[in-house]
Each structure stands twice: as structure tokens, then as C-alpha cells.
Amino acid sequence: MEKLNRNLPPQFKTIEHVDIPKSKQDVLSNEIPIHIISGGSQEVLKIEMIFNAGLWYQKSPLIAGTCNSMLNEGTEKYSAAELAEKFDFYGAYIVYNNSQHDASVCLYTLNKYLDETLDLLEEIIKHPTFPEKEFKTILSNKKQNYLVNREKTNALAKEKFNSLIYGDKHPYANIFEANAFDKVQLEDIKTYYKDRYTADNCRIILSGKMDESVLSKIENRFGASAWNTKSSHTEAKHEFLCSDERKVFVLKKDAVQSSIRIGRPLFNKTHPDFAGIMLLNLILGGYFGSRLMQNIREDKGYTYGINSLLLSHLKSGHFAIVTEVGTDVCEAAISEIYKEIKRLREERVPEEELSLVKNFFSGEMLRNFDSPFALSESLRGNLPFGFDNSYYETFLQKIKETSSQKIMELANTYFKEEDLYEVVVGENKA
Amino acid sequence: MIEFDKFTLDNGLKVIVHKDATTPLAAVNILYNIGAKDENPEQTGFAHLFEHLMFGGSINIPNYDEPLQQVGGDNNAWTSNDVTNYYLTVPKENLETGFWLESDRMLSLAFTQKSLDVQKAVVIEEFKQHYFNQPYGDVWLNLRPLAYKEHPYQWSTIGKCIEHIENAQLQDVKDFFFHHYAPNNAVLVVTGNVETDEVRRLAEKWFGPIERRDIAARNLPSEPKQTEFRSLHLERDVPYDAIYMAFHMGSRNDQDFYKVDLLSDILSNGQSSRIFQRLIKEKNLFSTIDAYLTGDFEPGLFVISGKLTEGVSMEDAEKAIWEVLDEVSATKAEEYELQKVKNKVESSLVFSEISFLNKAMNIAQHEITGQAEDINLEVEKYNKVSTDDLQEMAQKILIKENCSTLYYHAKKQ
């Protein structure tokens, strides 16, 4: 047997192409769009009903979220306890998502109980009753969770950062005080439901293992007739209001670590530079091998973790570096963060590093699209922008074509130090 | 039904292969039979610190992460009181890179002072982030020593205190490695779009040459039976009072485990469960409350943890929990209720088998505690549980003299 050379890595293949299974688009008889992703190894289904009913449209805080999470708190046929009993008996999960623009109800069910669980889904979508008692319990529990969360430095940093880049009043910041919980009126929740949870304000994503019968079962319950109709939906307008303040310190007494957020408002994934920025973000702080992680964690040991992220909202987006560091090293960590950003503006990324990041990203694409449920998650994020997962076919190509020259240009355009906002929450200013 | 092939290399490394052709990826999962319970009581947190050092370069490969990222791979690891688990995923074409990396760090680490110094600092920040900089973060640092007086489960994987991490020396690290990390003390599971013949060839090529090592015999002190109620009062700067109750029970491998697991499900799995309905919905005494099992390989804990609703007294809250527990001891559950939690268990198993990586971890756990084949008997074991069993378990476990209660008081403003 030839001697094993452990110093040399084995041959490997670069991923040239990522196969993204296409979703099929159909419409129910009442014109509700339905997107279908068929496949998977298990006999399970995910049915997500998405409404334009997010924070964007609420007149005061907490309306959209409370409305969304109260859908299963009682219907014309069943009490909250009965609904919970039935969902549990069929081993189904019901998950509520409430985001900036949309809100959804997502059913995970075994195929063998599809009839029963779809009946329940129909009940909670079409006939919720919003009982007073459940309303009070839910709000009181939400308020407690809110107040516990405010004891965390990272939650405070996130809130402050979002208010600086979007403005206190903007739904993308979604800021409110504890007393907002006492001001929510049940009538407002009911009105919000009537206005926004309607057939003409809805789309469905269906994913998992299925045959033809699944679609007809959905058609029977949600497509055959008009339901919760409303002739017009009131539109909402919100202006962005970036703060003049660039650096903010928030005191959190007795904190043993400081939370840091550094970043800026940015465009969303429809922008031509998005692929390039994605690559730039990866290099800076988007994976374990990133420069921030290698420098601030793996070389200095200042933190358990540091990441940077890009967030795409429908009408904007942002870039942020997020970390929690020991109080004593906070100042040093911040200075290293700026140093790494500066290095991206002033020096080209070496070709080996660039090729590594591109290869890693291809692998991430494979992981992100591995299973019908993962595809449906990604599709949900794309649909509001008007495209489906085929978006990523050209995206990968654009990533591969991005040069180190282009990355340096992007860093100079978008990562200027004077454009960045900085928030520190902790025991002292460092 | 999860199908797999299984073989053992001459050096004792157990290898299990499960093919899932629906994914373009492969997972390599290595579970080492070493956890926080194997630590010296004066050097706790070591197994977990060691997990960090496994990424600090191995004998022939200076950097673990880079070559993996280069081929589109990703990885992570976790440490529990029982085991340490390392996993990676790669595009199936690049499976061999995973074997190359994992076998080299099983062979030997680079053992650099720099890596030790940095990872000590990182773990100390992790300690602060998760245990001291979060409201209620230090609960387990206090509940464990209340419930365990002899057994090493009395400390958390992060360690008893920051000083233990600070004191770790390079020689300790080397000793630890050669006493616990070895082919004959690990299980390798490969899942995803892979063929058994290819995995066998790669396993023999890369892991085959690693020699067996003498593994320190495990001789853990057993926990004496608890005979009276224990309690501890803490006061902290948090917004609401909280209560934590821990009851001793059997191990994950015990046949009774399935009975106790369903008992905890009746109490707290899902919104229809007794605790959720009674204590949150009907009486409004808690804002959140859960019952769950630690699921440890040695006799573990049945835990109830809840945050009190503002204005509710600790006495009323505790009394209400005991009423629910006493009822499940005094009165047999309905067949319907038992069937409901069985359905839920079956469903959660079906959903957990979507992910090829999840399957790899589950197979490895079953192999290390018994045999991988048992993974396919889980549903059957749960289905055998009767309503009599639930009552018997409640009477045996959910009693005052078997309970350690931590009263976590919010400091008055």
C-alpha cells in the first residue's frame, strides 16, 4: 500500500452548478396564487398561507402580531383549548410568522391526517372569534416576554440600531414601550383581521410529498368560493428617517459583556450590486472563516462570536456587524472591526481567499435548497420582490464573476467609515 | 424505518452508513464517548474547552476550517455532559476531504500554546454570554449542584466556574486527548448521498492506520437516592420570579424512559397539555412554563421550569404545580390523552428524519448508548406504554422527597 500523505488535501470538485428545483405556480378558482414544491423523502406537508398583514399596515404597535397569534385562540366551531387538543392529537404543528410586510399561518402535517388538519386550518383562517379572555392572557404573557428580553444587551442594541437607521416610528424598527401592551384594543385586532386576512390578500406555498389530491383538497377549502372578501385594502406609507447621531452608547448596569452593532442602511436584493455585497459581507463576517471571526475571535479571543449580516426588506435593507464582547476589550474590539473594514477598502482580497469564499458559498446554496421545506422558506422570502427561486440561478453566476477589484470598489462605495452607525450597550463606554 | 450498513475497523472504530439519495450532500458525524461527566471535579469545563481546541489545527493540517470551506463544506460541534459530537456537511463529490480532516484530528492535534490561550479566552466569553449576561442565565449553575451531590452531573458542560477554564494547561490538554480521543472510543456515521463501499474504502484508508489507545476506564460515583426535599432561594436582578423543580429519574437507556417521557408530554408537550392549559390558560399563574427530561445517559432529571405571572406569589405558583403533579399520580390518564402524546411522538420522529444530518446524529447517539438498530424501535417502545405506566412513574418520581426546587426571586426595585 502506498504511504498515506496526510499533508496534502484530497482532490476536490468545485460546484459549477446548483440545481434548484423549480416551483410550479397555479391559481385556485378564486384567484389565490398557489406555489407548489413537490418532493422529499418523508410523508409530510407544509402549507403556508401568507397575507399582506404585517407590521407595515398596523395603525399602532402590536396589532399585527397579536392578530396573527390569536387566530387559533378560538373559532366559531372550537374553543382555543379544543383547537390545541386537535392539532396535538394529529401531531400537527401550527406556526405563526409576523414580519414587516406579511404575516402567515403555517401548517406542518403528516399526509395521513391532511383532511383533518386542513379542516382546522380552514377554521382558524376563516372563522376566528378573538375571545376577550384569551386576548388578555396573550397580551400579558407577551408583555412579560418583552420585559425579560429588554434585560438582554443584544436586544437593546438591535432596537437602538434599527431606530437610528430607519427612524423610531418606522415599521422596520418596530419600537414601542411596555405600556403599548396596555393600550391594545380587542376591536382593533378584529378590524385588522377583517381588513387583511382576506382571500384577495392571500397566497399559498405548498411543499412536501404529494399527489394530485392534495391540491384539490386545498381548492375545496380555500379556492372554491369567495371568503372574507373586501373590495379595497388601505395602503400605508412610512418615511425613513435616519438619525444624525452616528455613535450611541446605551447603559446597561452590571452587564459583564457589551453588545456592539455597527452598520448602515442599504439596498435590498433587487439591487444590481447585491451579489457583490453578499460576497463582500461573507468575506468580512458572513461565515466562520470570515476576517472578523478570524481576527476578533480566533486570534484575539475577545468574543464567543462575531457576524455580519445583510437584511433585505421590501423597501430597503441594512448591513450590520453584531457581536458581544468582554467589557474590558470592547474598545479594542471596535477598533479591530474598523480596521478590518478599512483593509477591505484599501487592499484587494487575495485570489485564494476569494476562491475559497466562492466555493463555500456554492456549498451554502446546496445546503439552503436541500429539501422542499427549505425551498419553500427561500421562496417565501423572494415572492414579495416579484421573483421565485430562479433568482438564485443567475445569482450564483454573478457571485462567480465578481472580481477582487470589484469587491474593493464596493467596499469603497458602501463601507465608508463616515456612513456607518455604531451602537454599544453595556456597563461602561469602554 | 432508517436503513443502514454497519462495520467495525480493526482499530475498533465503528462505522455506520445511511444512504439518502434525495440530497446532493453528505454528512460526516463523529461522536466521541467523552463528556463533562468524565472531568476531574477540580478541572471542570475541560471536555467543552477541548472541543474548541479540536479546531485549532491537527498534527498534519494547520487549519481545520479553511480546507473544508474550500470544498464547499461547513461544520460544527457540541459537547454535553455525556459525549462530544463533531459534524460536517460537504457536497457529496468532496466526501474524502471530510475523512482527511476528521482522521487527522483523531490521529493527533497540533497542541499549540496560542490555540489554547485564545480558546480559553473565547470560552470565558461564551461563559459570560450564556450564563452571566442573560436574565435567568445562571439557573443551571445552581440547580445542578442542588440536585446532584455526588455524581458529576452536578456541573454544567461550560464548567463550575471561570477559574477552572483559566487554569487549563497544555499538558492537561495532551493527557486528555490521549486518554479519551481514540478510534476505539468513537462512532463514525456517514449519511446523505453516499455508497457504503466508498465509505468503507475511505474509512480504511484514512482512519484504518490510527492505532487503538488505552481508554481511561469510566468509574463515576453514583448519586445516592434523594430522601428529602431540597430547596435553594436566589435573588437576582430579573423582572419576574421563576421556579425550577428537578426530580431524579432513570437514564436514557432505561426502559422506563419511554414511560417518563410520555408522562412529561402529557404534562407539557403542546398547547393542549395539562400544565399549559391549567397554569397558563385557565389560572394565569405563569407566563411560560415547561416540563421536560434532560435525557442523560446516566440517571437524569425530570425538570419543570416556569416564570410567574406578575403579582402571583411563589407559594401559590408552587402549590398549583403540585396540584397538577398530584393529580397525575392520583388518577389514571384517559386512553385518549395517552394516544395523543403517542401520535405527537411519532410525528416528531417523522419530521426529524427529513434532515440527513439529523439522522446521522441520532444514529450515532443510539450506537454509543446501545446499538444503532434501536433507532427503528423507538415508536414501538413508546406505543407499549400504558396509562398504568404513566401513573406508576408519576407516583415514583413526582414526589416531594425526590424534588430539588430553586426559587428564583426578582430583586425588589
Side-chain angles (χ1 to χ4, degrees):
Chain A
M1 212 172 107
E2 71 178 299
K3 177 140 173 33
L4 201 55
N5 187 343
R6 290 187 182 271
N7 299 107
L8 279 185
Q11 294 281 319
F12 70 94
K13 284 199 184 120
T14 304
I15 308 303
E16 295 302 337
H17 174 75
V18 175
D19 183 35
I20 304 169
K22 288 206 174 4
S23 55
K24 205 177 102 199
Q25 192 178 343
D26 211 334
V27 281
L28 304 183
S29 303
N30 59 3
E31 295 186 343
I32 293 183
I34 180 163
H35 306 263
I36 302 161
I37 301 164
S38 176
S41 56
Q42 304 293 104
E43 295 286 335
V44 292
L45 286 165
K46 174 182 176 187
I47 299 157
E48 183 158 26
M49 305 203 49
I50 305 162
F51 298 87
N52 293 312
L55 305 171
W56 190 264
Y57 308 99
Q58 67 188 11
K59 290 208 176 64
S60 52
L62 296 161
I63 303 285
T66 310
C67 181
N68 184 244
S69 57
M70 273 202 73
L71 292 172
N72 71 337
E73 294 294 328
T75 65
E76 286 168 17
K77 258 194 218 161
Y78 306 116
S79 69
E82 286 168 335
L83 285 168
E85 198 64 51
K86 286 174 189 292
F87 276 118
D88 281 345
F89 187 81
Y90 297 120
Y93 303 90
I94 195 105
V95 177
Y96 297 87
N97 291 303
N98 178 52
S99 63
Q100 268 68 22
H101 289 272
D102 57 37
S104 78
V105 179
C106 187
L107 169 69
Y108 291 87
T109 182
L110 301 176
N111 291 41
K112 64 177 175 183
Y113 295 129
L114 180 63
D115 282 314
E116 293 84 350
T117 53
L118 265 184
D119 284 344
L120 294 172
L121 184 65
E122 183 181 10
E123 260 300 290
I124 62 178
I125 295 284
K126 292 187 186 172
H127 310 294
T129 49
F130 303 98
E132 176 91 34
K133 180 175 185 298
E134 317 292 351
F135 170 70
K136 285 192 172 144
T137 309
I138 280 205
L139 270 182
S140 130
N141 292 346
K142 274 180 190 269
K143 183 178 180 179
Q144 286 204 201
N145 289 338
Y146 167 89
L147 286 168
V148 169
N149 210 33
R150 293 192 62 85
E151 293 299 312
K152 302 175 184 170
T153 53
N154 60 348
L156 296 174
K158 182 179 175 181
E159 182 184 287
K160 191 64 191 173
F161 179 78
N162 287 346
S163 87
L164 291 182
I165 63 167
Y166 292 123
D168 272 352
K169 303 273 184 290
H170 199 278
Y172 290 172
N174 190 28
I175 289 173
F176 48 87
E177 298 291 323
N179 66 9
F181 289 91
D182 312 325
K183 293 181 184 160
V184 181
Q185 299 294 317
L186 183 55
E187 276 317 304
D188 293 341
I189 304 291
K190 289 181 179 172
T191 307
Y192 201 74
Y193 167 76
K194 277 188 202 128
D195 284 351
R196 313 237 48 113
Y197 285 81
T198 62
D200 58 354
N201 202 25
C202 169
R203 64 170 76 241
I204 301 174
I205 302 177
L206 166 64
S207 56
K209 211 164 181 181
M210 66 187 91
D211 57 26
E212 315 262 292
S213 74
V214 174
L215 187 55
S216 71
K217 284 173 185 178
I218 293 176
E219 164 72 24
N220 288 342
R221 286 160 180 95
F222 295 104
S225 59
W227 48 273
N228 297 14
T229 45
K230 182 160 166 72
S231 50
S232 72
H233 299 284
T234 41
E235 277 312 311
K237 270 200 175 153
H238 301 281
E239 302 294 332
F240 294 110
L241 193 68
C242 295
S243 168
D244 294 331
E245 252 183 317
R246 291 279 167 180
K247 295 191 180 189
V248 175
F249 171 77
V250 179
L251 176 72
K252 177 75 179 76
K253 252 189 80 196
D254 300 326
V256 295
Q257 282 187 320
S258 297
S259 283
I260 303 171
R261 271 193 183 230
I262 294 175
R264 59 161 297 173
L266 205 63
F267 42 76
N268 63 24
K269 61 168 112 172
T270 58
H271 194 278
D273 280 339
F274 191 73
I277 280 286
M278 177 77 124
L279 203 52
L280 177 59
N281 177 64
L282 268 176
I283 293 166
L284 178 64
Y287 74 120
F288 192 81
S290 73
R291 291 178 171 197
L292 289 174
M293 193 69 114
Q294 291 307 309
N295 177 349
I296 289 161
R297 174 179 146 139
E298 292 295 285
D299 186 59
K300 310 280 188 318
Y302 291 160
T303 180
Y304 178 51
I306 179 163
N307 300 294
S308 68
L309 56 92
L310 291 172
L311 205 123
S312 266
H313 289 305
L314 195 54
K315 294 176 195 291
S316 176
H318 70 255
F319 153 77
I321 295 164
V322 180
T323 186
E324 286 164 55
V325 301
T327 310
D328 51 329
V329 292
C330 184
E331 199 179 338
I334 291 172
S335 128
E336 289 300 322
I337 290 171
Y338 286 116
K339 227 186 263 178
E340 288 299 345
I341 299 173
K342 184 165 180 241
R343 199 150 70 90
L344 284 166
R345 286 194 306 263
E346 294 180 352
E347 295 168 27
R348 277 196 198 201
V349 175
E351 287 308 317
E352 308 83 71
E353 185 180 358
L354 189 59
S355 110
L356 180 144
V357 174
K358 288 178 179 178
N359 287 349
F360 174 74
F361 185 75
S362 307
E364 282 294 278
M365 298 269 285
L366 289 181
R367 280 182 280 277
N368 291 343
F369 298 119
D370 186 40
S371 89
F373 290 180
L375 286 162
S376 93
E377 195 65 37
S378 149
L379 182 63
R380 192 193 157 195
N382 281 341
L383 288 175
F385 295 95
F387 39 77
D388 61 18
N389 285 340
S390 59
Y391 168 79
Y392 290 106
E393 283 168 11
T394 44
F395 193 76
L396 186 59
Q397 200 48 43
K398 279 192 201 159
I399 291 274
K400 284 188 189 287
E401 285 162 6
T402 305
S403 66
S404 57
Q405 176 62 32
K406 175 75 184 171
I407 290 190
M408 199 163 84
E409 285 167 23
L410 290 171
N412 278 288
T413 310
Y414 298 114
F415 287 1
K416 290 188 193 119
E417 203 162 313
E418 62 268 30
D419 290 339
L420 298 174
Y421 291 79
E422 175 191 307
V423 174
V424 177
V425 181
E427 162 85 7
N428 55 47
K429 235 174 185 151
Chain B
M1 175 80 182
I2 299 177
E3 288 177 6
F4 52 83
D5 295 317
K6 190 167 149 180
F7 53 93
T8 306
L9 302 187
D10 291 343
N11 58 16
L13 179 66
K14 291 176 180 160
V15 187
I16 300 171
V17 189
H18 162 69
K19 180 169 181 165
D20 178 346
T22 64
T23 173
L25 297 155
V28 176
N29 188 89
I30 300 195
L31 184 61
Y32 287 95
N33 195 1
I34 158 74
K37 69 184 174 193
D38 299 305
E39 293 161 350
N40 175 339
E42 302 309 316
Q43 280 186 312
T44 63
F46 215 86
H48 169 254
L49 172 64
F50 196 85
E51 174 215 313
H52 280 246
L53 298 173
M54 282 285 276
F55 295 89
S58 53
I59 186 85
N60 298 294
I61 309 173
N63 185 313
Y64 176 90
D65 289 285
E66 269 181 32
L68 186 64
Q69 289 152 357
Q70 181 71 42
V71 306
D74 197 15
N75 73 89
N76 213 330
W78 50 261
T79 307
S80 74
N81 289 73
D82 295 309
V83 291
T84 313
N85 190 61
Y86 300 83
Y87 58 94
L88 62 86
T89 59
V90 278
K92 67 177 174 15
E93 295 81 2
N94 298 333
L95 180 60
E96 186 158 9
T97 305
F99 276 82
W100 170 64
L101 287 165
E102 289 301 339
S103 64
D104 202 52
R105 64 180 180 178
M106 183 187 282
L107 184 65
S108 181
L109 293 186
F111 298 116
T112 67
Q113 188 63 46
K114 161 92 182 173
S115 172
L116 176 61
D117 292 343
V118 169
Q119 292 310 318
K120 276 159 71 169
V122 169
V123 168
I124 289 168
E125 291 306 324
E126 181 180 1
F127 208 137
K128 291 186 204 160
Q129 184 173 330
H130 291 160
Y131 295 84
F132 298 135
N133 216 33
Q134 302 290 334
Y136 312 95
D138 64 348
V139 164
W140 279 96
L141 297 180
N142 291 287
L143 188 57
R144 282 184 176 279
L146 187 65
Y148 290 103
K149 297 300 169 195
E150 298 292 332
H151 194 278
Y153 283 166
Q154 66 188 268
W155 59 83
S156 295
T157 51
I158 196 77
K160 284 181 190 169
C161 54
I162 285 180
E163 290 70 33
H164 282 190
I165 315 288
E166 283 170 341
N167 293 339
Q169 303 296 317
L170 201 56
Q171 189 56 47
D172 305 330
V173 172
K174 288 183 186 166
D175 292 346
F176 192 85
F177 181 82
F178 290 105
H179 282 114
H180 298 293
Y181 280 75
N184 45 314
N185 203 32
V187 177
L188 167 65
V189 181
V190 183
T191 62
N193 208 332
V194 296
E195 301 294 340
T196 299
D197 288 346
E198 176 65 359
V199 171
R200 188 191 300 271
R201 185 184 73 78
L202 292 173
E204 278 169 1
K205 176 177 172 184
W206 292 105
F207 287 95
I210 303 172
E211 288 186 8
R212 265 175 197 274
R213 289 177 191 135
D214 289 332
I215 300 305
R218 189 173 267 158
N219 189 12
L220 303 176
S222 55
E223 183 64 23
K225 189 175 161 57
Q226 183 176 342
T227 52
E228 55 181 21
F229 177 71
R230 296 174 191 158
S231 63
L232 175 68
H233 291 264
L234 291 179
E235 196 184 61
R236 293 286 187 268
D237 203 1
V238 292
Y240 305 103
D241 290 347
I243 186 167
Y244 302 86
M245 298 159 83
F247 301 86
H248 290 282
M249 60 169 283
S251 76
R252 176 68 181 82
N253 256 6
D254 199 340
Q255 285 309 306
D256 281 351
F257 177 83
Y258 300 88
K259 303 173 188 171
V260 186
D261 199 20
L262 290 181
L263 174 63
S264 78
D265 284 349
I266 277 185
L267 289 173
S268 164
N269 188 353
Q271 294 211 349
S272 72
S273 64
R274 293 185 183 196
I275 283 184
F276 190 89
Q277 283 298 324
R278 301 279 170 76
L279 304 184
I280 294 184
K281 290 292 220 170
E282 287 168 24
K283 297 186 175 166
N284 228 322
L285 296 171
F286 292 87
S287 65
T288 61
I289 180 163
D290 282 302
Y292 59 93
L293 314 183
T294 52
D296 297 312
F297 293 2
E298 317 239 345
L301 299 174
F302 185 121
V303 183
I304 296 172
S305 71
K307 288 196 183 74
L308 279 60
T309 300
E310 178 145 48
V312 172
S313 74
M314 198 68 99
E315 294 71 30
D316 289 348
E318 184 182 22
K319 190 163 153 263
I321 294 177
W322 278 110
E323 279 169 14
V324 177
L325 302 185
D326 289 343
E327 184 191 70
V328 78
S329 292
T331 320
K332 239 197 320 181
E334 298 284 332
E335 287 297 333
Y336 159 82
E337 193 179 15
L338 177 60
Q339 191 57 51
K340 176 182 77 179
V341 290
K342 286 180 179 175
N343 290 352
K344 268 195 90 99
V345 165
E346 191 173 350
S347 168
S348 68
L349 287 170
V350 172
F351 277 99
S352 77
E353 287 171 16
I354 290 174
S355 153
F356 67 99
L357 176 59
N358 239 348
K359 283 187 279 192
M361 288 190 204
N362 290 339
I363 291 170
Q365 291 242 23
H366 278 279
E367 180 64 28
I368 216 139
T369 52
Q371 49 173 2
E373 286 75 4
D374 293 347
I375 197 168
N376 292 315
L377 301 177
E378 291 283 281
V379 172
E380 197 184 316
K381 286 178 183 168
Y382 280 108
N383 277 336
K384 277 194 189 139
V385 175
S386 69
T387 51
D388 285 331
D389 293 333
L390 297 182
Q391 191 176 15
E392 187 199 328
M393 288 302 120
Q395 288 168 354
K396 190 173 146 193
I397 294 168
L398 303 178
I399 50 176
K400 194 124 190 187
E401 58 265 35
N402 189 36
C403 179
S404 303
T405 299
L406 171 58
Y407 302 92
Y408 205 95
H409 301 273
K411 206 177 270 178
K412 299 280 178 290
Q413 297 298 323

